[in-house]
Amino acid sequence: METMGRHVIAELWECDFDKLNDMPFIEQTFVDAALRSGAEVREVAFHKFAPQGVSGVVIISESHLTIHSFPEHGYASIDVYTCGDLDPTIAAKYIAEALGAKSRQMAELPRGMGPVAVPEPSASPV
Amino acid sequence: METMGRHVIAELWECDFDKLNDMPFIEQTFVDAALRSGAEVREVAFHKFAPQGVSGVVIISESHLTIHSFPEHGYASIDVYTCGDLDPTIAAKYIAEALGAKSRQMAELPRGMGPVAVPEPSASPV
């Protein structure tokens, strides 16, 4: 298996409070996002914090998707990392829309190609 | 809870083949790395691939640690993301040493502070 991968760092702001605090919804959204990207889901682990917030991961054959949500700030911190021919932006955009993010910044880092390359991030309205 | 976090991207090369393929060892290393950082472990999920390779995550109260290992390339792709006062470089360095990485590159990205800021990575021998 080749080491090369694409890692999307997504900062989602002005998201819907209730969605950011709904663990079953987030878990289903992440599994759906992985499947829409063509990924194979291997492990799913989510955790609900008190009084609010959700953290979780979907391990896929092609790497992972993670979230940390902060409903009180309307913020979700997302990573979508894929190897092979998959496009991580498909999942990242699907998640941003599902969480009702009114603003987002995304940066894509190549992984497994030697030194860490850090391109300029892009900001775009949903 | 504040949204601000520190996310260390670590590319570990020339690691020990057997360690990269030993799921119980990697899982224990990651839990130990989290605890040494002062983190609180919430969920642990690892997966062993055939014929080789391990993917996994430790969800901590303060975010997460992940790995994807490619024993045949001596490569491990590591993320250590912490919120609060924790220092993610403690865990990243501990993991690099445990896996016998002879070379590594690390970059630290601030998270949850607005736009994605992408500083220059640093490369250093272990």
Side-chain angles (χ1 to χ4, degrees), chain A residues 69-107:
Chain A
S69 80
F70 300 75
E72 69 277 30
H73 297 285
Y75 168 65
S77 173
I78 308 292
D79 289 69
V80 181
Y81 177 3
T82 60
C83 294
D85 294 330
L86 301 191
D87 178 356
T89 65
I90 293 172
K93 289 176 182 174
Y94 177 77
I95 292 163
E97 286 168 21
L99 296 178
K102 293 191 180 65
S103 71
R104 64 187 179 196
Q105 292 91 29
M106 294 191 187

Side-chain angles (χ1 to χ4, degrees), chain A residues 28-41 60 65 80 82 86-95 97-98:
Chain A
Q28 188 61 52
T29 295
F30 269 64
V31 170
D32 289 346
L35 296 176
R36 280 168 182 256
S37 303
E40 185 182 29
V41 173
I60 54 178
L65 300 82
V80 181
T82 60
L86 301 191
D87 178 356
T89 65
I90 293 172
K93 289 176 182 174
Y94 177 77
I95 292 163
E97 286 168 21

Side-chain angles (χ1 to χ4, degrees), chain A residues 1-2 7 11 42-43 47 57 64 68 70 72-73 75 77-79 81 105 111-112 114 116 118-119 121, chain B residues 1-2 7 11 42-43 47 57 64 68 70 72-73 75 77-79 81 105 111-112 114 116 118-119 121:
Chain A
M1 192 169 183
E2 292 306 309
H7 186 166
E11 305 280 75
R42 296 287 193 156
E43 306 282 346
H47 190 86
V57 64
H64 70 251
H68 305 288
F70 300 75
E72 69 277 30
H73 297 285
Y75 168 65
S77 173
I78 308 292
D79 289 69
Y81 177 3
Q105 292 91 29
R111 301 291 299 263
V116 187
V118 280
Chain B
M1 193 169 182
E2 292 305 309
H7 185 166
E11 305 279 76
R42 296 289 193 155
E43 306 281 347
H47 189 85
V57 63
H64 70 252
H68 304 289
F70 299 75
E72 70 277 29
H73 297 285
Y75 168 66
S77 173
I78 309 291
D79 289 69
Y81 177 4
Q105 291 92 30
R111 301 292 299 261
V116 187
V118 279

Side-chain angles (χ1 to χ4, degrees), chain B residues 76-99:
Chain B
S77 173
I78 309 291
D79 289 69
V80 181
Y81 177 4
T82 60
C83 294
D85 294 330
L86 300 192
D87 178 355
T89 66
I90 294 171
K93 289 176 182 174
Y94 177 77
I95 292 163
E97 287 168 20
L99 296 178

Side-chain angles (χ1 to χ4, degrees), chain B residues 109-122:
Chain B
L109 287 75
R111 301 292 299 261
M113 301 174 71
V116 187
V118 279
E120 287 300 304
S122 65

Side-chain angles (χ1 to χ4, degrees), chain B residues 3-68:
Chain B
T3 60
M4 289 180 290
R6 300 169 62 187
H7 185 166
V8 168
I9 306 277
E11 305 279 76
L12 307 183
W13 298 94
E14 300 177 67
C15 298
D16 183 274
F17 179 96
D18 290 333
K19 289 177 177 171
L20 289 188
N21 208 31
D22 184 340
M23 191 175 84
F25 172 79
I26 290 176
E27 187 169 327
Q28 189 61 53
T29 296
F30 269 65
V31 169
D32 289 346
L35 296 176
R36 280 168 182 255
S37 303
E40 185 182 30
V41 173
R42 296 289 193 155
E43 306 281 347
V44 178
F46 282 77
H47 189 85
K48 176 80 170 65
F49 291 94
Q52 58 217 355
V54 173
S55 283
V57 63
V58 175
I59 298 283
I60 54 179
S61 295
E62 304 82 3
S63 296
H64 70 252
L65 300 82
T66 60
I67 181 171
H68 304 289

